[in-house]
Amino acid sequence: EPTNKKMRRNRFKWGPASQQILYQAYDRQKNPSKEEREALVEECNRAECLQRGVSPSKAHGLGSNLVTEVRVYNWFANRRKEEAFRQKLAM
């Protein structure tokens, strides 16, 4: 019998390999273009696949941990916001 209890969604979590790629990209460019973000998505998904033992050609096998352009966009936005906040605190 189906239950009416709501299931928790699987939250996205950045893997260490992806974070390293993103921090290196952030050091080079704090506000990447859409093309640069899409290249980062490919790089991050490839790294996550290798780390999790999933074939890179089957990146959709990452499920809820699939890196998307929107997630990369938000990661950079959050990093810029965090950096501005830290600079404001330092004053």
Side-chain angles (χ1 to χ4, degrees):
E1 79 188 31
T3 59
N4 292 338
K5 189 176 181 184
K6 286 194 174 195
M7 297 292 290
R8 287 185 63 168
R9 70 182 176 99
N10 290 328
R11 285 196 57 156
F12 176 79
K13 181 146 175 29
W14 287 103
S18 291
Q19 282 188 317
Q20 187 177 8
I21 290 165
L22 293 171
Y23 275 113
Q24 288 169 353
Y26 186 77
D27 288 339
R28 292 191 305 270
Q29 164 78 305
K30 294 194 185 333
N31 204 347
S33 67
K34 185 168 177 67
E35 291 75 25
E36 290 168 320
R37 289 193 306 268
E38 286 170 350
L40 287 169
V41 166
E42 296 294 321
E43 199 177 341
C44 287
N45 279 327
R46 196 168 28 255
E48 290 303 317
C49 283
L50 291 173
Q51 200 164 44
R52 290 182 164 93
V54 178
S55 168
S57 62
K58 295 189 175 79
H60 63 289
L62 293 173
S64 65
N65 276 321
L66 185 69
V67 177
T68 63
E69 192 265 334
V70 172
R71 287 182 171 140
V72 172
Y73 177 89
N74 287 333
W75 186 92
F76 275 88
N78 289 334
R79 224 45 68 233
R80 290 190 300 270
K81 186 176 174 185
E82 185 181 295
E83 192 173 89
F85 177 73
R86 289 186 192 282
Q87 285 177 350
K88 189 177 163 189
L89 274 184
M91 291 175 109

